[in-house]
């Protein structure tokens, strides 16, 4: 009987060892997915005077981050483009950001209700 166990070591594979093997494989798969996920960059956004051109659309400033926000957008510096379907595309910077040196922004989409309500 002992000889048969030596010939086939997987005969006595316990549930604990099987779960450990499955957990190890899942961790490896998720680590691979997160390590190889592509980053999104808006390299094609450019300044055109005081406006931003992104994705062939011109975004104009709707709030300056100094408390004179006439929209219901959160605090910050916001540039907006309203498409024909009344959908607002907004590029946002943190309040007080130096726009000459800033390297990142947040892009959001809202439904727009004139004259200045973003939902």
């Amino acid at each position: 009987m002992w000889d048969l166990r030596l010939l086939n070591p997987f005969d006595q594979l316990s549930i604990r060892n099987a779960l450990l093997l499955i957990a190890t494989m899942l961790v490896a798969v998720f680590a691979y997915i997160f390590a190889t996920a592509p980053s999104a960059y808006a390299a094609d956004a450019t300044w055109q005077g005081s406006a931003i051109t992104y994705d062939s659309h011109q975004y104009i400033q709707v709030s300056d981050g100094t408390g004179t926000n006439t929209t219901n957008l959160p605090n910050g510096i916001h540039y907006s483009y309203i498409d024909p379907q009344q959908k607002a595309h907004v590029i946002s910077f943190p309040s007080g950001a130096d726009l000459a040196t800033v390297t990142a922004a947040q892009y959001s989409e809202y439904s727009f209700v004139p004259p200045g309500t973003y939902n």
Side-chain angles (χ1 to χ4, degrees):
M1 183 77 153
W2 178 253
D3 293 333
L4 293 176
R5 286 189 185 174
L6 288 177
L7 293 176
N8 191 356
F10 295 107
D11 240 2
Q12 297 297 321
L13 185 63
S14 69
I15 293 175
R16 179 179 172 195
N17 288 344
L19 290 176
L20 182 63
L21 177 66
I22 292 169
T24 303
M25 292 173 76
L26 284 174
V27 168
V29 167
F30 283 118
Y32 175 77
I33 289 170
F34 289 121
T36 60
S39 297
Y41 296 103
D44 56 345
T46 58
W47 288 99
Q48 299 291 324
S50 63
I52 299 173
T53 300
Y54 175 67
D55 198 23
S56 302
H57 301 291
Q58 187 175 30
Y59 290 73
I60 57 169
Q61 189 172 12
V62 293
S63 69
D64 60 6
T66 61
T68 58
N69 188 354
T70 60
T71 67
N72 62 334
L73 292 170
N75 287 337
I77 304 168
H78 304 286
Y79 288 78
S80 177
Y81 161 72
I82 312 296
D83 67 16
Q85 290 81 28
Q86 296 301 307
K87 189 176 194 180
H89 305 267
V90 179
I91 298 174
S92 304
F93 301 96
S95 290
D98 181 11
L99 297 181
T101 61
V102 71
T103 59
Q106 181 179 1
Y107 173 82
S108 306
E109 292 181 357
Y110 297 90
S111 60
F112 180 73
V113 179
T117 304
Y118 295 79
N119 295 323

